[in-house]
Amino acid sequence: MKTHLLLLLALGTIGLSSGFAATPTSTAELPSYTPDANAARAAIPAVYRWDLSPLFASDAACEQARLKLLADIAALAPYEGKLADPATLAACLELYFRLHRAANFLTLYANMRQSTARSDDAAAALSQRSLAAMDELMRAATFIRREVLALPAAAVAQQPALAPYRAYLDNLRRRASHVLSADGERALSLLGDNLWAEIDLDELPSGYEDAHSALLADIPWPKIKDATGQEVQLTLANYGRFRASPDPAVRRAAVQALFGTLRQYQHALAADFAGQMKLDVAYARARGYDTALAAYLDKDNVSPAVYDNLVRTVGAHTDLLHRYVELRKKTLGLSAVHLYDLYIPLVPGVEKDVPFAEARRIIPAALQPLGAEYGRVLATGLDPRNGWIDLYPHQDKQSGAFSSSVYGPHPFVFINYQNSLDDLSTLAHEFGHALHSHLAMTTQSYPDFRYVPFLAEIASTCNETLLSDYLVAHTSDRAEQAYLLVARLESIRTTIFRQAMFAEFERTAHQLVEAGTPVTATLLDEKYRELLRRYYGPGFTVDPDDGMEWAYVPHFYYKYYVYTYASGLTSGLAIADRVRTLGAPAVEAYLGMLRGGCAKPPLELLKGAGVDLTTPAPIEAAMKSFARTLDDVEKLLAK
Ligand SMILES: [Zn+2]
């Protein structure tokens, strides 16, 4: 999830296109095609490959645009030192955002080229050069932020020339009291402070994050026995597969081998982790924040009370998770539930073939509650003739799925569609992102269209929820119903419960540093095991090395990021619920949030959609949805 979102942010790809015009959807026959991961890209009918020409007609055109951008960046320099005059500031910002959009075209095009041609050196070079161009623009533009922050309020407030940049300027100046002197800023930027970085650059990993991934790569993982009794090398890449093995001996061996090995490196891992926590706290303190939590949430203009509310409210409903653990125990016939029993399917998979032609019928039907306008754009995007989608897997194509957009052309959706129910759900998810971008882009101007990470996973999970409701209601096959409902339980378990647990762990670790308590391997192990016990309950057995799991989770280096997974799904579920029960007014409110981009603070936009994350209500609603689904699954499995 993280990689996908970061990629979008790093490349400036979230957002969309004001010049978009709905293309009529033809009903003519499309070529039939059977997905084949080993096919050459050229073997896939062109209609099922995306059309990048709205960005650039060719790599050469992209390269030309890059050279032009690099030359144009010089036009920013004459503005330096002159931004106290509102008209000059407006002209400078106009130029800056024009260049920024041009840079986004480059990074998006290069990234998309690379995602379907991983071993193509030309695409890799294109990508590196385009990122370097974006980097160059950012460096050339740092004086803008510096000068805007130094302006007296009167120079910015109520200036008609600056009206198009109101939200941007307000958001920038919102944290002005946390800006240091020129010397202080220079020192922090040399240290790699990430509290003030522009959104496109702020995810450069710290040395601690690099060291963590290097350590995980260097650790010699042991061999384990697979289900046939063969010795196999455990790797971080195949760990997830072995952990979900139907053979209890295999999944136990995988988890014990991984955690047991991490245990041997626990002091190095803990020292590195503590280093990251100390760095976060140091940046926060240097900028005059009370806590690292307040500092990092302030980037998205979110108050620590929202975080605390989420952790507290989810934490108050762990009884539901205990019930789920008991259900797994009973259904799977286990004498005890261990960490390695959480990942095996509770019900058998459903061998249902959902060709893309079916998906094009099902997704619009399932999302029909979102109204006619949404439906029209969706139908346009789902028609492969319109060039939004890169549909099928092939040799050299990146795995996974994402949606990305740059202001102007239509959004793009990347997926490895192989006709399964899960692929159907992924497609609905990615179209949530795409439509969010489309609506924001067609409503807002460039400075205001890009939604922040905090709002990024709401439209996607709302779509998944509406799709799942629709599929459950339109099948009489109990096995399929059970499969769909269990998928929802798993999604809430892993995205709300587990991420809230991570969020609590992350907050605890920072608080230990803030209180001056040494963060040792023993203490981290103790805190993590305590969380496992509390979250999974009396039916769950915490094994001796389970407390090492924290060391396997790279997200703890993402600086208060994990909670957005939980808040995103919570909000998505709450909105789907409102759409279901309240109809049109809830839809209008929701679309208003999607159209809002970043023209208002995220919590305010979300509140406009009827979800107030400063209160427990939406989280309680998500918990109720989990409880209801648990009831349904228990009933289905009892039959
Ligand atoms: Zn997503």
Side-chain angles (χ1 to χ4, degrees), residues 139-201:
R139 261 197 309 273
T142 46
F143 76 91
I144 301 178
R145 199 172 60 194
R146 199 174 57 233
E147 290 186 34
V148 164
L149 285 166
L151 291 175
V156 187
Q158 333 253 290
Q159 297 289 349
L162 295 174
Y165 309 104
R166 179 59 47 218
Y168 171 78
L169 291 170
D170 285 352
N171 193 43
L172 193 54
R173 290 172 57 85
R174 181 173 59 78
R175 296 188 291 161
S177 64
H178 297 285
V179 176
L180 309 184
S181 67
D183 284 350
E185 284 298 321
R186 198 171 317 119
L188 279 188
S189 80
L190 286 172
L191 291 170
D193 164 47
N194 45 43
L195 274 168
W196 266 106
E198 290 273 343
I199 195 163
D200 304 274
L201 294 178

Side-chain angles (χ1 to χ4, degrees), residues 1 37 39 58 66-67 81 106 130 183 240 314 355 360 406 408 447 521 531 552 556 566 586 603 634:
M1 277 189 283
S58 64
R66 186 183 70 88
L67 295 174
L106 300 177
S130 66
D183 284 350
V314 175
R360 273 185 73 195
V406 64
L531 280 168
Y552 160 76
F556 293 134
L603 280 178
E634 281 168 350

Side-chain angles (χ1 to χ4, degrees), residues 29-82:
E29 278 290 304
L30 288 164
S32 70
Y33 178 76
T34 307
D36 171 9
N38 296 314
R41 181 163 178 79
I44 298 171
V47 70
Y48 299 125
R49 293 180 259 145
W50 54 24
D51 172 17
L52 300 187
S53 67
L55 298 169
F56 296 108
S58 64
D59 288 5
C62 176
E63 181 57 11
Q64 245 171 16
R66 186 183 70 88
L67 295 174
K68 179 172 184 322
L69 173 70
L70 289 178
D72 289 351
I73 286 174
L76 281 171
Y79 289 100
E80 188 160 359
K82 300 186 183 131

Side-chain angles (χ1 to χ4, degrees), residues 49 57 189 201 207 210 346 371 389 428 453 533 560 587 592 597 609 618:
R49 293 180 259 145
S189 80
L201 294 178
D210 283 341
L346 185 58
I389 316 176
R533 268 194 295 275
Y560 282 118
V587 171

Side-chain angles (χ1 to χ4, degrees), residues 20 26 47 190 323 406 446 449 453 456 517 589 598 610 637:
F20 166 84
S26 156
V47 70
L190 286 172
R323 229 178 100 192
V406 64
Y446 186 74
F449 88 97
T517 309
C598 63
L637 294 182

